[in-house]
Amino acid sequence: MRASIGRYWYAYAMVLPVVVVIAVLVLYPLVQGVYFTFTDINESTIANPVLDREASYEFVGLRNYLNVLSGDASFGAFWATLLRTVIWTGTCVVLTYGTGLGLALLLNRPMRLRGLYRVLLILPWAVPAFISAFAWKYMFNSQYGIINQLLGSLGLPQPVWLGQSDLALVAVIIVNVWLGVPFMMVALLGGLQSIPADLYEAAEVDGATPWQRFREVTLPGLRSVSSTVVLLGVIWTFNMFPVIYLVAGQNPNTRILVTYAFERFFSGASRDYAVASTYGVLILSVLLVFASFYRRALRRQGELV
């Protein structure tokens, strides 16, 4: 270790500021959040220098975890919210991956104005998410939105998209897929272009149909890219707070784990920091478990070493 530090001291010196920043901005809040889960801290028991009030919260052990995991509605109905989160995440990732793969396959073929199409399809990714969210919120407006106006012109019903119904979840899924498709398309397009053309030529010589070439050449060639983008998509979507909050607000029909943690931390007469922190730790735990099993499955398939 001493020899390594003496030889590569400049590398450690350049990395040290990043380590310090991560420790201050990530590790310390994480440790503090985990500690809060074992207390009854809330707005009335936290220290407040402005009011000259000292902290009065107490250690309660695993009570917060037991209350949350019991599924009690007063603690956010954890299991029902987790199920909605899984539905939201799975639907968004499947639609985003499928749409991105389809567009990548189209753009991988020779065509006129292919560069223009690529730029246009990347625009949703280039526009800030909050601008896209507000634009879609206006388009989903039941009275003035262009979507309902188009449905009305076709003689179809004009629903209240962002009301207290499951249509609100459908609306935010549409917005999230719109925002996520460009990244998926670009990543998969890069994967497609890395597949040797000789494989397609050999398959065609062997008499393989387009579907067989897609199944036997394209999909196996995209496994490494697909495994990465799917994992990233699950993590990002599972924690996707801005789209849901900006489009639907505090709507119980679009409530997922991360939005409920936000509501518990920043809303209500008595902000319950302990329960909000408990949700945060449970979200992290769910994602760590999923990532572990996902990587293990990939390793069995030979995608990871």
Side-chain angles (χ1 to χ4, degrees), residues 135-155:
W136 277 98
K137 183 175 183 178
Y138 181 77
M139 288 192 291
F140 279 121
N141 187 278
S142 58
Q143 295 181 336
Y144 311 107
I146 189 174
I147 296 178
N148 273 6
Q149 290 182 8
L150 179 60
L151 293 175
S153 65
L154 298 175

mmCIF file of all heavy atoms in Angstrom, residues 135-155:
data_model
loop_
_atom_site.group_PDB
_atom_site.id
_atom_site.type_symbol
_atom_site.label_atom_id
_atom_site.label_comp_id
_atom_site.label_asym_id
_atom_site.label_seq_id
_atom_site.Cartn_x
_atom_site.Cartn_y
_atom_site.Cartn_z
ATOM 1 N N ALA A 135 -45.596 20.438 -20.496
ATOM 2 C CA ALA A 135 -46.243 20.414 -21.812
ATOM 3 C C ALA A 135 -47.253 19.270 -21.893
ATOM 4 O O ALA A 135 -48.388 19.454 -22.374
ATOM 5 C CB ALA A 135 -45.190 20.288 -22.906
ATOM 6 N N TRP A 136 -46.865 18.096 -21.431
ATOM 7 C CA TRP A 136 -47.778 16.969 -21.444
ATOM 8 C C TRP A 136 -48.940 17.183 -20.481
ATOM 9 O O TRP A 136 -50.073 16.767 -20.766
ATOM 10 C CB TRP A 136 -47.032 15.691 -21.075
ATOM 11 C CG TRP A 136 -46.322 15.056 -22.224
ATOM 12 C CD1 TRP A 136 -44.993 15.163 -22.546
ATOM 13 C CD2 TRP A 136 -46.899 14.212 -23.228
ATOM 14 N NE1 TRP A 136 -44.714 14.447 -23.683
ATOM 15 C CE2 TRP A 136 -45.856 13.843 -24.125
ATOM 16 C CE3 TRP A 136 -48.180 13.721 -23.451
ATOM 17 C CZ2 TRP A 136 -46.076 13.011 -25.211
ATOM 18 C CZ3 TRP A 136 -48.398 12.896 -24.542
ATOM 19 C CH2 TRP A 136 -47.362 12.553 -25.405
ATOM 20 N N LYS A 137 -48.692 17.816 -19.361
ATOM 21 C CA LYS A 137 -49.776 18.096 -18.420
ATOM 22 C C LYS A 137 -50.836 18.970 -19.069
ATOM 23 O O LYS A 137 -52.044 18.766 -18.878
ATOM 24 C CB LYS A 137 -49.217 18.770 -17.164
ATOM 25 C CG LYS A 137 -50.274 19.025 -16.087
ATOM 26 C CD LYS A 137 -49.639 19.582 -14.829
ATOM 27 C CE LYS A 137 -50.692 19.753 -13.739
ATOM 28 N NZ LYS A 137 -50.090 20.264 -12.480
ATOM 29 N N TYR A 138 -50.408 19.944 -19.856
ATOM 30 C CA TYR A 138 -51.369 20.795 -20.551
ATOM 31 C C TYR A 138 -52.088 20.005 -21.639
ATOM 32 O O TYR A 138 -53.302 20.169 -21.835
ATOM 33 C CB TYR A 138 -50.659 22.000 -21.161
ATOM 34 C CG TYR A 138 -51.606 22.943 -21.873
ATOM 35 C CD1 TYR A 138 -52.413 23.824 -21.149
ATOM 36 C CD2 TYR A 138 -51.702 22.946 -23.255
ATOM 37 C CE1 TYR A 138 -53.286 24.674 -21.795
ATOM 38 C CE2 TYR A 138 -52.573 23.796 -23.916
ATOM 39 C CZ TYR A 138 -53.363 24.658 -23.176
ATOM 40 O OH TYR A 138 -54.237 25.492 -23.829
ATOM 41 N N MET A 139 -51.364 19.142 -22.346
ATOM 42 C CA MET A 139 -52.009 18.356 -23.405
ATOM 43 C C MET A 139 -53.027 17.376 -22.833
ATOM 44 O O MET A 139 -54.012 17.031 -23.495
ATOM 45 C CB MET A 139 -50.952 17.604 -24.216
ATOM 46 C CG MET A 139 -50.122 18.496 -25.102
ATOM 47 S SD MET A 139 -49.124 17.584 -26.314
ATOM 48 C CE MET A 139 -47.939 16.801 -25.233
ATOM 49 N N PHE A 140 -52.813 16.903 -21.594
ATOM 50 C CA PHE A 140 -53.754 15.992 -20.952
ATOM 51 C C PHE A 140 -54.896 16.716 -20.239
ATOM 52 O O PHE A 140 -55.746 16.058 -19.645
ATOM 53 C CB PHE A 140 -53.026 15.096 -19.948
ATOM 54 C CG PHE A 140 -52.335 13.920 -20.560
ATOM 55 C CD1 PHE A 140 -50.966 13.738 -20.408
ATOM 56 C CD2 PHE A 140 -53.046 12.984 -21.289
ATOM 57 C CE1 PHE A 140 -50.321 12.647 -20.976
ATOM 58 C CE2 PHE A 140 -52.412 11.893 -21.856
ATOM 59 C CZ PHE A 140 -51.052 11.720 -21.704
ATOM 60 N N ASN A 141 -54.910 18.041 -20.273
ATOM 61 C CA ASN A 141 -55.978 18.798 -19.631
ATOM 62 C C ASN A 141 -57.331 18.378 -20.208
ATOM 63 O O ASN A 141 -57.509 18.304 -21.422
ATOM 64 C CB ASN A 141 -55.754 20.296 -19.839
ATOM 65 C CG ASN A 141 -56.751 21.128 -19.054
ATOM 66 O OD1 ASN A 141 -57.872 21.339 -19.482
ATOM 67 N ND2 ASN A 141 -56.326 21.614 -17.897
ATOM 68 N N SER A 142 -58.289 18.102 -19.314
ATOM 69 C CA SER A 142 -59.570 17.562 -19.766
ATOM 70 C C SER A 142 -60.401 18.570 -20.551
ATOM 71 O O SER A 142 -61.240 18.179 -21.378
ATOM 72 C CB SER A 142 -60.380 17.069 -18.559
ATOM 73 O OG SER A 142 -60.590 18.132 -17.630
ATOM 74 N N GLN A 143 -60.188 19.886 -20.340
ATOM 75 C CA GLN A 143 -61.001 20.892 -21.014
ATOM 76 C C GLN A 143 -60.301 21.517 -22.212
ATOM 77 O O GLN A 143 -60.923 21.732 -23.260
ATOM 78 C CB GLN A 143 -61.400 21.990 -20.019
ATOM 79 C CG GLN A 143 -62.317 21.498 -18.910
ATOM 80 C CD GLN A 143 -62.695 22.620 -17.967
ATOM 81 O OE1 GLN A 143 -61.988 23.622 -17.851
ATOM 82 N NE2 GLN A 143 -63.816 22.456 -17.266
ATOM 83 N N TYR A 144 -59.013 21.811 -22.047
ATOM 84 C CA TYR A 144 -58.303 22.559 -23.089
ATOM 85 C C TYR A 144 -57.183 21.754 -23.756
ATOM 86 O O TYR A 144 -56.550 22.257 -24.678
ATOM 87 C CB TYR A 144 -57.704 23.843 -22.494
ATOM 88 C CG TYR A 144 -58.695 24.639 -21.689
ATOM 89 C CD1 TYR A 144 -58.617 24.682 -20.290
ATOM 90 C CD2 TYR A 144 -59.719 25.337 -22.307
ATOM 91 C CE1 TYR A 144 -59.523 25.398 -19.544
ATOM 92 C CE2 TYR A 144 -60.636 26.064 -21.567
ATOM 93 C CZ TYR A 144 -60.539 26.088 -20.181
ATOM 94 O OH TYR A 144 -61.445 26.810 -19.456
ATOM 95 N N GLY A 145 -56.935 20.541 -23.310
ATOM 96 C CA GLY A 145 -55.829 19.763 -23.843
ATOM 97 C C GLY A 145 -56.074 19.303 -25.267
ATOM 98 O O GLY A 145 -57.207 18.986 -25.661
ATOM 99 N N ILE A 146 -55.000 19.248 -26.033
ATOM 100 C CA ILE A 146 -55.117 18.874 -27.442
ATOM 101 C C ILE A 146 -55.513 17.405 -27.604
ATOM 102 O O ILE A 146 -56.162 17.035 -28.600
ATOM 103 C CB ILE A 146 -53.781 19.159 -28.168
ATOM 104 C CG1 ILE A 146 -53.955 18.983 -29.679
ATOM 105 C CG2 ILE A 146 -52.677 18.258 -27.647
ATOM 106 C CD1 ILE A 146 -52.732 19.384 -30.467
ATOM 107 N N ILE A 147 -55.186 16.560 -26.636
ATOM 108 C CA ILE A 147 -55.533 15.146 -26.738
ATOM 109 C C ILE A 147 -57.040 14.956 -26.697
ATOM 110 O O ILE A 147 -57.632 14.250 -27.528
ATOM 111 C CB ILE A 147 -54.836 14.339 -25.629
ATOM 112 C CG1 ILE A 147 -53.313 14.392 -25.820
ATOM 113 C CG2 ILE A 147 -55.319 12.898 -25.603
ATOM 114 C CD1 ILE A 147 -52.533 13.674 -24.750
ATOM 115 N N ASN A 148 -57.703 15.591 -25.726
ATOM 116 C CA ASN A 148 -59.156 15.476 -25.655
ATOM 117 C C ASN A 148 -59.842 16.178 -26.817
ATOM 118 O O ASN A 148 -60.907 15.745 -27.278
ATOM 119 C CB ASN A 148 -59.658 16.040 -24.323
ATOM 120 C CG ASN A 148 -59.657 14.990 -23.226
ATOM 121 O OD1 ASN A 148 -59.177 13.868 -23.432
ATOM 122 N ND2 ASN A 148 -60.187 15.332 -22.066
ATOM 123 N N GLN A 149 -59.261 17.254 -27.310
ATOM 124 C CA GLN A 149 -59.843 17.911 -28.477
ATOM 125 C C GLN A 149 -59.777 16.992 -29.690
ATOM 126 O O GLN A 149 -60.725 16.924 -30.491
ATOM 127 C CB GLN A 149 -59.113 19.220 -28.758
ATOM 128 C CG GLN A 149 -59.366 20.305 -27.718
ATOM 129 C CD GLN A 149 -58.669 21.603 -28.049
ATOM 130 O OE1 GLN A 149 -58.101 21.764 -29.121
ATOM 131 N NE2 GLN A 149 -58.714 22.552 -27.110
ATOM 132 N N LEU A 150 -58.664 16.272 -29.830
ATOM 133 C CA LEU A 150 -58.544 15.330 -30.942
ATOM 134 C C LEU A 150 -59.528 14.176 -30.781
ATOM 135 O O LEU A 150 -60.177 13.763 -31.756
ATOM 136 C CB LEU A 150 -57.108 14.799 -31.003
ATOM 137 C CG LEU A 150 -56.796 13.781 -32.106
ATOM 138 C CD1 LEU A 150 -57.049 14.392 -33.479
ATOM 139 C CD2 LEU A 150 -55.363 13.292 -31.996
ATOM 140 N N LEU A 151 -59.666 13.665 -29.559
ATOM 141 C CA LEU A 151 -60.629 12.596 -29.328
ATOM 142 C C LEU A 151 -62.053 13.062 -29.601
ATOM 143 O O LEU A 151 -62.878 12.333 -30.173
ATOM 144 C CB LEU A 151 -60.516 12.097 -27.884
ATOM 145 C CG LEU A 151 -59.217 11.372 -27.505
ATOM 146 C CD1 LEU A 151 -59.199 11.034 -26.022
ATOM 147 C CD2 LEU A 151 -59.034 10.113 -28.333
ATOM 148 N N GLY A 152 -62.359 14.316 -29.188
ATOM 149 C CA GLY A 152 -63.695 14.853 -29.440
ATOM 150 C C GLY A 152 -63.988 15.005 -30.921
ATOM 151 O O GLY A 152 -65.113 14.759 -31.380
ATOM 152 N N SER A 153 -62.991 15.429 -31.694
ATOM 153 C CA SER A 153 -63.184 15.581 -33.135
ATOM 154 C C SER A 153 -63.434 14.245 -33.817
ATOM 155 O O SER A 153 -64.035 14.189 -34.899
ATOM 156 C CB SER A 153 -61.959 16.260 -33.760
ATOM 157 O OG SER A 153 -60.809 15.429 -33.637
ATOM 158 N N LEU A 154 -62.983 13.146 -33.201
ATOM 159 C CA LEU A 154 -63.212 11.813 -33.747
ATOM 160 C C LEU A 154 -64.464 11.169 -33.179
ATOM 161 O O LEU A 154 -64.772 10.005 -33.506
ATOM 162 C CB LEU A 154 -62.003 10.916 -33.455
ATOM 163 C CG LEU A 154 -60.669 11.349 -34.080
ATOM 164 C CD1 LEU A 154 -59.542 10.438 -33.617
ATOM 165 C CD2 LEU A 154 -60.757 11.344 -35.599
ATOM 166 N N GLY A 155 -65.183 11.898 -32.327
ATOM 167 C CA GLY A 155 -66.403 11.368 -31.738
ATOM 168 C C GLY A 155 -66.170 10.382 -30.622
ATOM 169 O O GLY A 155 -67.064 9.593 -30.280
#
